[in-house]
Amino acid sequence: MTASRLATGGSAIDRTRPIRFSFDGATVHGFAGDTIASALLAGDVAVVGRSFKYHRPRGIWGAGVEEPNALIDIGGPRATPNTRATTEPARDGLVARSVNATPSALADRNAFLDRFARFIPAAFYYKTFMWPDWHRFEPRIRAMAGLGKVDADWTSPGTADQINHHCDVLVVGAGPAGLAAARLASGAGLTVTLVDDQQSPGGSLGHRAGEIDGKPAAAWIAETIAALASAGQLILPSTTAFGVYDHNLVGLNQRHPDGRPDTLWRVRPRQIVLATGAIERPLPFANNDLPGIMSADAALAYLRRHAVLVGRRIVVATNNDSAYETAGALAEAGAEVTLVDLRRDGTPNAPANVRLVKRRALASASGRLRVDGVTLDDGTRLDTDCLLISGGWTPTIHLFGQAKGKLAWSEERAAFLPGDPVDGIAVVGAAAGAVALSDVFAGAGTVVASLGQTKAALPRSTGPEATGGILPAWPIPGSKGRIWIDYQNDVTVKDVELAARENFVSVEHLKRYTTLGMATDQGKTSNLPGLALMAGITGRTVPEVGTTTYRPPFTPVPLASFAGARVGELMAPVRRLPLENVHRANGAVFQEYGGWLRPAHYGGSADAERSIADETLRARQSVALFDGSTLGKVEVIGPQAAAFVDFLYYNTMSTLKPGRCRYGFMLSENGVVFDDGVLVRLDEHRFVVSCSSSHVAAVHARLEEWRQDRFGRGAVYIHNATSDMATLTVSGPNARKLLEALDLSLSLDDADLPHMAVGHGTYAGDEVRIARVSFTGDRSYEISIRADRAEPLWTRLRQAGQAFDAVVIGLEALMILRAEKGFIVIGKDTDGTTLPHDLGVDGPRAKRQTEFVGRRSLFTEEASRDNRMQLVGLAVPQGEAPLPTGAHGIKRIDGRLRSQGFVTSSYQSPTLGRPVALGLIERGAARHGETIDIQHLGKISKATITAPCAVDPAGDRLHA
Amino acid sequence: MQIFPCPFCGPRDETEFHFGGDAGNIRPDGADVPIDRWADYLYLRTNPKGTAREIWVHMNCGEFFVMERDTVSHKVLSSAALGGEHAA
Ligand SMILES: [Zn+2]
């Protein structure tokens, strides 16, 4: 045994609540309050994972989010890959396994790869697997790549909560700086939100000596939290501020001990206070990645929080003062401790029972699955079972960097500190380079005072104070042995040197070429040593090399958190018909069309094709009922309404008489047909725009834009009444007879209500608007009634229809009926280049004298090209199947096939007993009667160009 | 995520807005507008670094408005309803 749990102590653990979990199949014992890492250490598990590339054995390095080595997969229904053992609470019954190791971290069968390490340096993949073809190597490399695995047992824990939150001050980090800032701000009457990524507050005060206002640190923490809670401030433990976005929106990832999905908080504070602390760096020496080598501060945290003594014969190597407290505490806990300090001068006194060796650096470590000794730079060898490292402190300024804060290099601290302030963001404590508690508190006081509040007394540090002396110890070019910079991605000093030799000297290139800092830990321990090494190699200073761009998230956030409730049906909610349930009861089969859930056909899902053909045929023979409620009904009202619709439409609309309807196009400013439909003029100053179902929102927005930009609010008013009313369509030779069976209180006589007219009646006391508009080519009546009264009318129509063998049709039958007539659907029979005259509607272009949207674009060279694609019908030779939609009309030019257009709609016509099709074909309008080749998936067939309309070209059926 | 001030609703999250083009891109009317002028209106964008005047629409209420903002700092400088400023 080397690492062990002490019999007493441990501020974070509850010894009355023992727990058990499994790691790589073995049982691990711990206590409530342990992390997986502290429990593994207490059980003396040295090897907890394998490195990404070389499958080197790796042990626990840190005690927090910076952990590069101890990645684990949590198994079972709440499986999560690649979590950090150092931040994951240990729970009873949890199943954990190491990543990138088979069958276990200790006995990984890919460990042999490390012996080939010198053949697989940085960029090895780019250089090696290019010939003959990367794809030959890809499957096997992919199988080897990656770290954790997604567990097949995973089940969704439900939707993740998302919370929007506002406060005066958001304090990130509940260490001494954050607690002080939160308490001062709260005392000044501000609303405060305090978040911390640990389960309990305190930060470094949780394991480092401190006496505040004459009290032990733990008492001061408890008192401060109690004061905040009683002031009603929001305190969120186990919550990481992972990103600062535009306008200082802060994203928080809150984890829950009960297994609920993580909560995403979107916080908009007036002021952000970053009290995010600092992360301890490794030192460069050969084999500095062996298990048993860990951060000195982490060892102190495990000792004081979890009562875990990480070794018996411990060597602590440092270049700064912070490791002295660690060395002293470990010696006091019973370990044999040697402290190796790089510095000659200005060092503190050796702690009691610690052997201090000055002016010595580590040259190398030895051991196989665990460190067993170190060699100093003078050749001295020391036996050890645990090597603790303090290479200095890197302020956690990620969030400041994300907010585009500029960093300033501090020679004194050997670190980047926050530079010029960013509006609304202050940085305090160790993140701002403060070391002594008195400096930390002074900084917090200054920030809160700058919010224009308070003269409250600052907390006073009354105990011994930490000091910041440091002698930088960056990796040195040309060093002997394998010196790791980035543990997780296996980047060594030699890899950085290789990058420099190949001129990847920019820090962004260095990152991508070597993958330095690109692992799941995002280089929290490795970025600074890596760029300092690049500075050394290229003869630049560290600030000249600079840092890579800081981007969110600071720590991984589950995707489910960002999705929130937008999963399944709520991912893209469909719009629903008021009569959906009635249609369902009548055997409708629903499909989504342009965002609407509509009946595709009736008669159940068996033999859909026959149902659709039957609906089509009966619609032509007698009468069809159709739910057209999705049709746009956007009202345009006001003194300028007629001028407005004239401007919006390609066709002149102001000449329309009240009570009449006109079909027309709306164009985009580039002349392309944007929407088509019928405009109804209700009276002098009131129109209804019937736009395509899927276009209602876009048409409405377009009307509003021109209204507000060009006409003015007093001139026109626009109201989208689409969902106010249901529209029930009666179409077919017997349509009028069917309606006459109902008492609608209006004359259905063709003299009073001719084709393209609108009338007003009532049904059961409710107003109905009846428009004689046809999308089928048959006599049709579109009856609009308030949506909540549509059901009785629909029922009555069906009932009255029985006498006429009426058929209820779905959208598929309607699509066939309109295609038989050559009626287009915008976006299906047109594309993003189709101009109105391509569809045979050239009148307004030729004659209109007034301005309209898209006008000028109709007179360009492009618009006047004589080989434009034009709308045509396409007929196939007798007995052949319908053309595939999307098939191309082709021609041969210089022996090569070239497209001359394509099929846009194609159906078997039940009315004609043969296929009908529409298409856009070059010069098509002038080529009726010509037979062309149609190609689909390499097969060529014939089609004859015709007029678009195949049924009743004279239009007699509209009046029949 | 940015906060934009809708002149009608007040400050709202940027996800509720759509971009509507450069402000001041006045539409030239007529079938005989020089084609270069028309092409500029359709396609030429100023894309300034720094202060930009832009049309935005708040999708929730339908308000089109002019917003001045800094494309570098993303600071919003002003917003005002269109109010038919180009009314014929
Ligand atoms: Zn608004």
Side-chain angles (χ1 to χ4, degrees), chain B residues 6-10 12 17 58 60-63:
Chain B
C6 168
F8 189 70
C9 306
R12 306 287 301 182
F17 295 83
H58 186 212
N60 298 38
C61 72
E63 183 84 16

Side-chain angles (χ1 to χ4, degrees), chain A residues 643-659:
Chain A
F644 182 78
V645 292
D646 260 0
F647 182 71
L648 265 293
Y649 275 90
Y650 171 58
N651 318 69
T652 303
M653 292 301 195
S654 55
T655 53
L656 191 60
K657 290 190 168 50

Side-chain angles (χ1 to χ4, degrees), chain A residues 247 669 708-710 856, chain B residues 27 29 33 41 62 74 86:
Chain A
H247 293 187
E669 282 283 56
Q708 294 179 38
D709 187 35
R710 187 177 172 104
R856 180 63 184 88
Chain B
R27 182 185 198 275
D29 285 1
V33 173
Y41 162 69
H74 290 185
H86 309 307

